[in-house]
Amino acid sequence: MPDGVAITRNGHRTLLKWHRGRKRLADLPFTGERILEGMRLGASVEVDLVKHADGGFAVLHDFSLAHDTTGEGLVKDAPAAALRRLFLRDGQGRPTTHQLMLFEDLCALLAAGEGIAPEALLQLDLKEEGRGAIGAREVAAFADAATPVRQHLILSGGSADNVGMLAAATPGLAIGYDPCAAPVVARLVVTRAFDRFVADALAAAPEARMIYLAYQLVLYAADQGFDLIGAFHAAGKTVDAWTLDAATPENAARAERLLALNVDQITTDDPEALEALLLRA
């Protein structure tokens, strides 16, 4: 039975990243049980971070609480104690028994978890991209929580400055960078200045270990004769292509194209089923 961790093509091993902590499409995002399962299997797992009113972070994708939790209002206006009283909602909007986690809760879970594979990596996708969104309180809270488990973490986001502020306070923390802001990609589709795109990304985040690219952009560039993955590999970076949601035949075909380009990681909401499809090819 596939474990949804990785697929190998032509001697190159590509990780299947568990988007929002999901192993299967039907999974509830951001549950401690699934995150720990992935870490014990040696998977690449991803969660999102949004700041709250007390200067820390909640493990949540949206800035609003209403859609995915039993709360209301904005995460940034809610104190930690109130957030810990909330529960996650399922895909039909029904409350579940899974509590909303704060970042320090997640780090404590990893620290206490037995059997975590040495190679397991948890991506922290920082959603705070605005200038001034991260301050001294957020930096201190992040460093306190992350430092004991930093060997299992990689911090990424679309703001190299905000990621850099948090990483500077957490020595030894790996970082990544996502240069695929919508306006940037829109211009790139018109100009096809792929060399400039690569150079700008490398200049914006020279310390980034992994570059996160929209899979549509990777495949578009390939159709135009430019190997984005190869260009970042030449600069010593690994590449994640995001996000193939469901494990459909169409997404399996896209995954095969990405595998042929030697992508290092594919983000998906359905890693177990996607691996099963790819193994049948």
Side-chain angles (χ1 to χ4, degrees):
M1 181 70 181
D3 56 17
V5 171
I7 191 82
T8 300
R9 284 285 188 275
N10 301 318
H12 184 81
R13 185 172 185 264
T14 297
L15 292 167
L16 301 175
K17 187 178 74 188
W18 296 20
H19 187 222
R20 303 187 192 179
R22 286 172 159 173
K23 184 180 185 181
R24 301 170 185 145
L25 188 62
D27 284 345
L28 185 70
F30 307 131
T31 66
E33 292 88 340
R34 271 293 194 233
I35 293 167
L36 277 181
E37 178 183 355
M39 300 298 280
R40 286 169 175 150
L41 287 170
S44 176
V45 182
E46 181 259 7
V47 299
D48 300 309
L49 298 183
V50 179
K51 72 174 184 179
H52 59 65
D54 287 336
F57 296 92
V59 180
L60 201 63
H61 178 270
D62 292 350
F63 294 105
S64 171
L65 291 164
H67 185 265
D68 293 324
T69 81
T70 52
E72 296 180 354
L74 299 177
V75 182
K76 69 180 182 66
D77 296 328
L83 291 172
R84 283 201 172 98
R85 294 194 292 269
L86 301 181
F87 292 85
L88 300 175
R89 293 186 184 273
D90 64 18
Q92 287 71 49
R94 299 171 300 203
T96 70
T97 58
H98 295 276
Q99 287 182 285
L100 171 63
M101 280 193 294
L102 302 188
F103 178 53
E104 57 265 36
D105 302 330
L106 176 58
C107 290
L109 189 69
L110 295 183
E114 296 182 358
I116 292 178
E119 71 276 17
L121 195 63
L122 180 66
Q123 178 195 347
L124 310 171
D125 191 0
L126 181 65
K127 293 303 180 185
E128 304 293 344
E129 296 188 0
R131 185 179 297 274
I134 300 298
R137 290 196 308 164
E138 287 79 20
V139 169
F142 179 89
D144 284 347
T147 295
V149 291
R150 62 189 179 276
Q151 73 274 18
H152 289 301
L153 305 177
I154 180 168
L155 175 66
S156 69
S159 170
D161 289 341
N162 288 343
V163 167
M165 287 177 63
L166 296 177
T170 316
L173 178 70
I175 63 171
Y177 178 54
D178 182 347
C180 294
V184 173
V185 173
R187 285 196 303 272
L188 189 57
V189 169
V190 174
T191 65
R192 301 180 188 174
F194 300 113
D195 282 323
R196 172 52 56 190
F197 171 76
V198 173
D200 288 347
L202 294 173
E207 302 302 319
R209 188 172 92 184
M210 179 170 281
I211 304 297
Y212 298 86
L213 301 176
Y215 82 84
Q216 299 95 328
L217 180 61
V218 174
L219 298 183
Y220 174 75
D223 289 340
Q224 307 307 311
F226 191 92
D227 182 1
L228 274 176
I229 293 171
F232 282 110
H233 280 175
K237 310 300 183 183
T238 55
V239 177
D240 172 291
W242 53 266
T243 299
L244 298 178
D245 42 23
T248 62
E250 294 79 10
N251 277 337
R254 293 177 181 118
E256 288 289 3
R257 291 189 64 193
L258 294 167
L259 293 173
L261 292 166
N262 286 334
V263 72
D264 302 288
Q265 189 164 271
I266 296 173
T267 298
T268 175
D269 291 298
D270 210 0
E272 184 181 68
L274 182 60
E275 183 188 0
L277 277 181
L278 295 171
L279 287 174
R280 294 179 200 146

